[in-house]
């Protein structure tokens, strides 16, 4: 489905469950039946999640290069939400909407400019869901899922280089070079360095959610999501 305006998504998934899927290393421990459940359900994949989640309902990104990767290699059935700099793409052709935090739902955070999971939470709330399951968002270490599997890392590197080789957009080139450097060098992720700040913001966000009948859940008890107050659920539990 193509959306022409951000208002088109309001209450489109009224009282349903939405998965928000990040790129944390915990993805590698998910049972296959949970991965299948996510792909068959309503999902918002974040950033470079496409090598793990081969099908997603929506995609949200703030970095130009993450957006470009998903446009070329991701499988999105509904819409991409992109809040980064204009890189001259045909956004309509790529089933995309530019989103800069407006409109806001009853659930929002000023941190949406710095952390895409806050943006995705706002989007899911605009869609009218009553449960959000956060997957692959632990913020406890610097590792992404693709850092830990040699084949995935090589594939990501190959895809990234292909995009760099076929663009002359300076913003995309600069962001892409930085992305590739993270694949080959040990570099601190900014969310780990600002864990305390993000923990406080998630706590406020989850309070807003619960006050408005939207409930946060996670499978991972060792995560910022659990520490901020989301309900820890088992893989066998149904929402």
């Amino acid at each position: 489905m193509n959306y022409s305006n951000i208002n088109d998504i309001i209450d489109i998934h009224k009282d349903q469950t939405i998965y928000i899927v990040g790129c944390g290393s915990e993805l590698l421990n998910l049972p296959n039946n949970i991965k299948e459940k996510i792909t068959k359900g309503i999902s918002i994949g974040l950033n470079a999640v496409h090598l793990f989640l081969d099908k997603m309902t929506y995609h949200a990104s703030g970095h130009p290069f993450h957006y470009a990767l998903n446009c070329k290699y991701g499988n999105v059935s509904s819409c991409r939400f992109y809040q980064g700099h204009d890189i001259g793409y045909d956004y309509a052709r790529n089933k995309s909407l530019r989103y800069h935090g407006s409109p806001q739902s009853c659930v929002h955070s000023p941190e949406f400019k710095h952390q895409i999971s806050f943006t995705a939470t706002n989007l899911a709330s605009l869609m009218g869901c009553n449960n959000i399951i956060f997957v692959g968002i632990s913020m406890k270490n610097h590792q992404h899922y693709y850092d830990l599997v040699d084949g995935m890392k090589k594939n990501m590197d190959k895809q990234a280089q292909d995009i760099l080789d076929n663009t002359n957009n300076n913003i995309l080139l600069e962001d892409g070079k930085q992305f590739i450097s993270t694949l080959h060098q040990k570099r601190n992720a900014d969310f780990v360095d600002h864990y305390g700040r993000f923990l406080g913001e998630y706590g406020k966000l989850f309070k807003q959610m619960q006050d408005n009948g939207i409930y946060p859940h996670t499978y991972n008890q060792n995560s910022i999501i659990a520490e901020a107050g989301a309900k820890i659920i088992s893989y066998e539990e149904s929402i």
Side-chain angles (χ1 to χ4, degrees):
M1 182 181 294
N2 289 323
Y3 301 105
S4 59
N5 188 286
I6 196 69
N7 291 303
D8 292 342
I9 73 167
I10 293 176
D11 288 342
I12 198 155
H13 298 301
K14 186 72 174 172
D15 297 331
Q16 293 180 279
T17 295
I18 293 180
Y19 295 90
I20 295 179
V21 188
C23 295
S25 57
E26 72 176 85
L27 294 182
L28 300 175
N29 299 320
L30 282 182
N32 287 334
N33 66 308
I34 296 298
K35 184 177 177 181
E36 184 179 358
K37 197 172 182 179
I38 294 171
T39 57
K40 288 183 176 179
I42 304 162
S43 61
I44 304 176
L46 308 182
N47 294 336
V49 74
H50 63 281
L51 288 184
F52 172 80
L53 199 60
D54 53 12
K55 178 186 176 184
M56 61 199 87
T57 319
Y58 304 96
H59 179 259
S61 57
H63 286 280
F65 206 72
H66 288 152
Y67 171 71
L69 276 169
N70 195 270
C71 285
K72 185 158 188 178
Y73 297 105
N75 180 5
V76 173
S77 61
S78 286
C79 183
R80 295 179 175 90
F81 302 99
Y82 174 54
Q83 66 179 31
H85 295 288
D86 184 8
I87 53 173
Y89 269 42
D90 184 335
Y91 299 108
R93 186 174 64 83
N94 285 294
K95 298 194 297 186
S96 308
L97 286 177
R98 303 291 303 286
Y99 178 70
H100 297 287
S102 180
Q104 290 180 337
S105 70
C106 57
V107 176
H108 59 271
S109 167
E111 293 293 348
F112 80 89
K113 292 182 180 178
H114 307 288
Q115 184 56 23
I116 197 66
S117 57
F118 290 108
T119 302
T121 303
N122 183 39
L123 289 166
S125 302
L126 283 171
M127 292 173 187
C129 70
N130 60 2
N131 291 291
I132 298 177
I133 302 178
F134 294 86
V135 186
I137 305 172
S138 72
M139 296 194 181
K140 292 285 188 177
N141 59 58
H142 303 101
Q143 293 175 313
H144 300 97
Y145 72 95
Y146 50 80
D147 293 323
L148 301 174
V149 180
D150 190 51
M152 279 190 178
K153 190 171 183 176
K154 287 179 179 177
N155 196 11
M156 188 71 79
D157 190 32
K158 181 180 178 181
Q159 291 178 358
Q161 194 59 57
D162 177 54
I163 290 176
L164 281 184
D165 290 344
N166 288 282
T167 186
N168 56 8
N169 182 280
N170 289 332
I171 294 173
L172 196 55
L173 284 168
E174 182 179 347
D175 199 45
K177 289 173 182 176
Q178 185 174 346
F179 176 83
I180 287 178
S181 77
T182 66
L183 291 174
H184 300 287
Q185 301 173 18
K186 287 189 175 180
R187 180 175 170 269
N188 287 350
D190 61 350
F191 55 75
V192 176
D193 297 334
H194 299 285
Y195 186 91
R197 189 181 95 215
F198 288 145
L199 177 62
E201 284 301 317
Y202 270 118
K204 294 176 189 176
L205 200 67
F206 292 168
K207 177 66 165 56
Q208 290 177 25
M209 287 172 63
Q210 291 163 345
D211 287 347
N212 287 279
I214 308 168
Y215 301 97
H217 308 267
T218 181
Y219 298 114
N220 185 2
Q221 63 181 357
N222 184 31
S223 66
I224 194 170
I225 303 299
E227 194 174 341
K231 181 183 178 182
I232 301 167
I233 58 174
S234 69
Y235 291 134
E236 292 76 29
E237 210 166 330
S238 297
I239 300 297

